[in-house]
Amino acid sequence: MEYELSRIQRERFDEISKLAVRLAEVEKSFGPRPALAGANFSLEWGEVHALLGENGAGKSTLMNVLAGFYTADAGILEVDGEAARFETPAAAADAGIGMVHQHFKLVGPLSVLENLRLACARRAGWRSKAEALRAMETLGKELGFRLDPSARVDEMAVSDQQKLEIMKVLLAGARILVLDEPTAVLTEQEAQSALGLARSLARSGRAVVLITHKLRDVLGFSDRVTVMRAGRTIIDGAASEGMTAASLSEAMVGGAPVTELPPPSGSRHFKPEMLRVKALCAPASAHGVALAKIDFSVQGGEIFGIAGIGGNGQAELVEALIGVRALTSGAVLFDGVDMPPSPEARRERGLRYIPADRMGMGLFGELPLNVNISLPRLLGGGAEKKWLVTKSWMNGLARDAISQFEVAGAQVDLPARLLSGGNAQKLMLAREFTGGMEILIAHSPTRGLDIRAVQAVQTRLRAAAASGCAVLLISEDLDEIMQLSDRVAVMSHGRMSPAENVAAVDRARIGRLMLEMH
Amino acid sequence: MPRLILSPRLAASRRFTFLVLLGGILAGLVVSGGFLLTQGMGLSDLASQFVGYTFGNPAGLDQTLTRSIPLILVGLSVAVCLKVKFWNIGVEGQLWAGAMAATAVSLYHIGPEAVRLWVMCVAAMLGGGLWCGVCALARVRLRANEVVTTLLMNYVAYMLAQQLLYGAWRNPQDSFPVSKVFAPGETLALLGFGHVHAGIFFSLGAALFCWWLCGFARVGYMAKAVAANPAAARAVGVPAGAVVLLMATLGGALSGLAGFTIVCGEEHRLTQFVGNDFIFPSIVIAYLARSNPLGVVVAAIAIAALYTAGDSLKAFYQLPGATVLTIEAILLLCVCCAEFWLRYQLGWAKSTKVAP
Amino acid sequence: MMELFTAWVGSIPAFAAPFLLATAGLIINERAGVMNLGAEGVMAMAAVTSVLMEMAGHGTALALLSGIGAGLGLAAIFGIMAVFLRVDQVLAGLVAFALGIGVSGFLGDGSENQTVNGISPPPGSDFAFLPKLLAGVLDQDWLTWFAFFAAIAVWFIIERTDLGLRLRAVGEDAPAADAAGVNVALYRFGAVLAGGVLCAIAGAHLSLVGAHIWVDGMVAGRGWIAVAMVTLSRWNALRAIAAALLFGAIQALVPQLLSSGMNVPVYFIQMSPYLATLAYLLIAGLFAKGADAQPADLGRPYLREERR
């Protein structure tokens, strides 16, 4: 079935003389894991082409091959009808391809103008700073961007950094633009205008690829859509108009029906308030916002959801709660008593934490699973092992955890970095869900996981609440918040809206709160 | 057209890791041997010097073992610090600090005479620990690069020692820049085999202690966590700063102890040269041993043998004093370059179809 | 007393020049993201080679050039290890240090303590019309003058040219520089070589201008001090001039004091610049200043297909 579709597509390719880009049967693996296993993609001049897929489906990898960041192991690449092969990003840029990465490729300590000169001077033929400045101002007017050329990039807002990235690829002469998740970090209004800009760039004769996993972006702003799953192309350049959310999401997640998590069964019994945060203020992290008077409380047995677009203080709040970010004022109470300041003491009081960046803040990629699992039990006054930590003890713990949490393909001495996203998250849960858990902070716990892993994680969170734990769920995924939480609040620009009962809230109003509380 | 591409290696097996280390050492020995052959030595000379004299001859073995005592300790010092990714380039300064602290205890008669030697030992460890500990504190609290601070502290300790030897501690009898000779009760006993002294028990004991600490104690696992991912370690409740401070201070104390074994075991007084030429050997030893404390003992004895051979090369073949340093550098160079294959692999790109 | 002071001040530039050259060289390295602890070895190689060449009767210019060549060779070995083989930069630097000191010991074996002409200030003062103190400062040999101009040139290239912009980008954020079309490995290797040239000239300055002989161990830690001086000058070659003058002044003071026969704690005076650098590091840390100036990608190897 899939094969038939792609054969028909390929016959169509031959009829159309000049595609902007044609990628066929592209393969690429990192070590033993194939990231692309025969992916196809075609891009026409003048269109916005959405490239849809779950995290890990291979969208970004495929576009990185196009933009010269990775070289394909096998496959065909044609640009404007000509066979091409890009060994470096510079070679791709020379062919008119510009990519705006999800994590911007800007040099933070340099200024706006310096970044533009760095990337574009050669291709744009600038001979002086003044010339660069003129080009920047001309394009800025055209696009309606206003950026200070002497501002340090790492001190600018994320949306301005994105504007700079777009200017960078345009000034370098890009006619084929790849935007990797351009709306992920933007507010609703900013996202609308960014998508509108993508469309007008396409209408001016360029070709735009929109990598996304948001159905809204596809249905509202693209001309055609390609859907990828597990390194293969599932839908190859179908017109977006005929698509429905249901057909796209089925293509994205595959044959298994997307079942909703059943609603919590039985009546819920909340215990008294366990976690209380009182007028908490904390300084901003390097690229974040400061917290201003955060107030909320979580009862035992309750899931308290915090919605909001990433980067609005969630990371700072989590750090303040686990004890790695000092407060400027306010208090965090546990069972009515001030929390001890250090992370180790808080952990001993029963605080557990699932970080958003599980390989960065949670697991130890270079260390084997048995050490990852047993490390928390070696800490604090109640440590299980005092003088002699043996391999057999660690292996026992690790084996229990692996079987209990169904971590697939894991041996006790495997370095954690070799686990896939879903299994790494299961390992993370296994480590945190140990005896004595009273408060659980889960920060974007299902980000980047496939649908089955998402369900497994969500079921665990429910079970934790059902066992009397106070669960704080912080997520950018509003659906997840609405589905799991008992009460919900919204974070925006370091502030938090008053908590509301989830049954009583209106989605549209939450959406507005995410954007408007500036 | 097939092309060579370089890509990261996902995981190297234990066996492969060991083979790469072995291959690096072998390559280093071959290159060093070739280098010495160009300097006018014959193959049989090499064999007799490096194998026969250093291990087969009591005098050579004596020299090797005696020299290995401080080398084991400074090697441990670097290895323990590397466990928390702390580059200790300052073993010489810490060794000087330890030697000065021990000498001060002797000169100023601190503590009862019966346990004076033990007071000197503790003082040396405190001195060395302090010398490295302040650098660790500066890194933890002030983010000061430890490569630069430990390096600078070498010079501070050296200058301080010279100032003392030319000033307050100068030997009153003959005005040479050396301290007074220690009392008999303030020295480490000889063991009846040449110059080998009781300091060897301190070295081996320290190696055993570090082996337990790094492999079987809670703090060893905390150190692993801090080295692997400092942010995650803090989030999971490892007191990361304290662990770095503890390991680095312990490392400094080990170097200080090395100073103690030299002044109390070999020199029996503070001289101008007790702390010279330890920085590079300590790095080589720790690196060849892959920071494993028991491996450090083996590597330190091997490097000590190299010094023994170097001394006789100097005497019999008029090779310069730089011979040992050169061989050490070649060894480390080869091992480092060999380890490239642990982290990366070279492979042929799969055949690329080119569009017609 | 005044004479002593004049002599001291006049000797400062020649003492400062090797520090300045080496520091400027290391600044190029570190601004491109490469920490090079091998400067000591590079200096030793250059110092011994240039003396040997001069002894062999090849003339000072050729001696200097071969010194640079020898230093460059060692810098290239370091660069291949650190940039292409991605060996830990601290380790690669230490290897270069030991290799340079070791091999220079072999090369110079038997040729120690033999005087060569080297480079000296022009006989008679070119600045006799100026006050004596000022004339003393300005009457320097050409290599010392070169050191100061080289530092200014390094500053200008790094801070004011497109080449410098790309170099800084590589040191601050290698993936972003790569995305902008800068060949990271090439720039880093180039920076290592360019820095190696300056470190080599620093070594040749020691033997040709300073000592006019080769002695084993004559670099005496100056290469290590240069590593610390990079931090002290906050990765800025103009500030490096001030830092070099400070270290040069202290070093120049010691022989003056000794020859005057004054009874002063010589080693304490020699210790002072090290303590000053340490104090600076701690104070900069307290006010979080040093962290801003340090290139963000310093010490981190880069390979494009590594996901990070």
Side-chain angles (χ1 to χ4, degrees), chain B residues 256-321:
Chain B
L257 194 61
F260 163 79
T261 64
I262 294 175
V263 291
C264 293
E266 293 178 41
E267 305 278 352
H268 297 175
R269 60 185 176 185
L270 188 68
T271 69
Q272 271 187 290
F273 307 105
V274 301
N276 289 4
D277 294 333
F278 279 101
I279 293 181
F280 194 65
S282 67
I283 303 275
V284 175
I285 290 166
Y287 200 78
L288 290 186
R290 310 195 63 85
S291 298
N292 178 322
L294 297 185
V296 162
V297 175
V298 177
I301 291 174
I303 293 294
L306 192 60
Y307 275 97
T308 307
D311 282 348
S312 81
L313 292 180
K314 204 163 152 184
F316 298 119
Y317 295 87
Q318 282 76 48
L319 289 187

Side-chain angles (χ1 to χ4, degrees), chain A residues 15-27:
Chain A
E15 291 157 19
I16 300 166
S17 57
K18 275 208 172 180
L19 287 166
V21 171
R22 178 180 163 225
L23 286 153
E25 302 298 333
V26 176
E27 292 172 20

Side-chain angles (χ1 to χ4, degrees), chain B residues 18-332:
Chain B
F18 181 72
L19 285 178
V20 163
L21 177 66
L22 207 64
I25 292 174
L26 279 179
L29 291 177
V30 168
V31 175
S32 308
F35 177 73
L36 290 178
L37 291 181
T38 66
Q39 299 294 317
M41 292 187 62
L43 265 179
S44 60
D45 300 337
L46 277 182
S48 74
Q49 287 307 318
F50 279 88
V51 185
Y53 182 68
T54 50
F55 292 110
N57 170 316
L61 191 59
D62 162 28
Q63 201 182 338
T64 301
L65 287 180
T66 310
R67 191 157 234 147
S68 73
I69 294 169
L71 283 177
I72 290 171
L73 288 167
V74 292
L76 288 173
S77 172
V78 172
V80 163
C81 290
L82 271 182
K83 292 278 181 193
V84 283
K85 289 213 173 134
F86 183 94
W87 275 107
N88 182 2
I89 318 287
V91 295
E92 274 181 20
Q94 294 143 26
L95 193 149
W96 271 115
M100 281 189 281
T103 308
V105 169
S106 160
L107 289 179
Y108 302 117
H109 310 293
I110 298 167
E113 233 165 282
V115 292
R116 179 71 52 76
L117 188 64
W118 294 102
V119 178
M120 291 168 80
C121 173
V122 171
M125 290 178 70
L126 286 177
L130 177 77
W131 225 249
C132 196
V134 291
C135 300
L137 192 65
R139 169 166 134 180
V140 170
R141 289 270 165 218
L142 306 173
R143 289 188 299 167
N145 187 339
E146 81 274 10
V147 172
V148 176
T149 51
T150 53
L151 181 68
L152 286 168
M153 290 294 274
N154 284 326
Y155 292 94
V156 176
Y158 174 77
M159 303 280 180
L160 184 63
Q162 303 305 313
Q163 187 66 47
L164 287 169
L165 287 173
Y166 279 104
W169 291 2
R170 194 197 283 255
N171 192 343
Q173 278 130 32
D174 53 12
S175 294
F176 278 117
V178 291
S179 77
K180 270 198 302 198
V181 175
F182 297 164
E186 296 170 353
T187 59
L188 288 161
L190 289 177
L191 298 182
F193 181 74
H195 300 88
V196 180
H197 53 83
I200 200 161
F201 299 125
F202 287 82
S203 291
L204 296 178
L208 277 175
F209 173 77
C210 291
W211 177 65
W212 165 78
L213 188 85
C214 296
F216 299 94
R218 298 196 294 159
V219 68
Y221 283 93
M222 293 186 209
K224 277 185 193 157
V226 172
N229 187 344
R234 256 167 69 76
V236 85
V238 176
V243 171
V244 171
L245 203 57
L246 178 79
M247 296 297 272
T249 307
L250 173 68
L254 289 165
S255 290
L257 194 61
F260 163 79
T261 64
I262 294 175
V263 291
C264 293
E266 293 178 41
E267 305 278 352
H268 297 175
R269 60 185 176 185
L270 188 68
T271 69
Q272 271 187 290
F273 307 105
V274 301
N276 289 4
D277 294 333
F278 279 101
I279 293 181
F280 194 65
S282 67
I283 303 275
V284 175
I285 290 166
Y287 200 78
L288 290 186
R290 310 195 63 85
S291 298
N292 178 322
L294 297 185
V296 162
V297 175
V298 177
I301 291 174
I303 293 294
L306 192 60
Y307 275 97
T308 307
D311 282 348
S312 81
L313 292 180
K314 204 163 152 184
F316 298 119
Y317 295 87
Q318 282 76 48
L319 289 187
T323 311
V324 174
L325 191 63
T326 312
I327 295 175
E328 282 174 340
I330 292 172
L331 263 178
L332 192 56

Side-chain angles (χ1 to χ4, degrees), chain A residues 75-189:
Chain A
I76 296 171
L77 165 58
E78 287 174 17
V79 175
D80 215 5
E82 305 268 318
R85 171 175 190 92
F86 302 133
E87 305 281 340
T88 63
D94 286 339
I97 295 162
M99 182 159 174
V100 175
H101 292 260
Q102 190 179 2
H103 301 288
F104 302 143
K105 303 270 181 180
L106 296 168
V107 184
L110 300 186
S111 73
V112 168
L113 192 62
E114 282 178 322
N115 267 286
L116 289 177
R117 279 168 56 210
L118 181 71
C120 318
R122 191 168 58 82
R123 265 173 227 104
W126 298 331
R127 280 178 306 273
S128 68
K129 246 187 258 185
E131 222 173 305
L133 192 61
R134 266 201 304 281
M136 175 187 164
E137 278 167 356
T138 313
L139 182 67
K141 265 195 208 117
E142 209 176 295
L143 302 177
F145 292 173
R146 248 187 290 155
L147 298 176
D148 173 7
S150 61
R152 249 180 87 123
V153 167
D154 54 10
E155 288 167 0
M156 298 199 310
V158 177
S159 57
D160 284 346
Q161 292 183 355
Q162 188 179 54
K163 287 175 184 158
L164 174 59
E165 276 281 20
I166 291 172
M167 289 181 86
K168 207 172 89 177
V169 294
L170 290 178
L171 286 172
R175 295 169 61 227
I176 297 165
L177 270 80
V178 182
L179 308 177
D180 191 355
E181 305 270 3
T183 58
V185 290
L186 303 182
T187 63
E188 190 58 33
Q189 285 95 335

Side-chain angles (χ1 to χ4, degrees), chain C residues 61-72:
Chain C
L62 199 59
L64 180 63
L65 278 179
S66 26
I68 293 173
L72 202 57

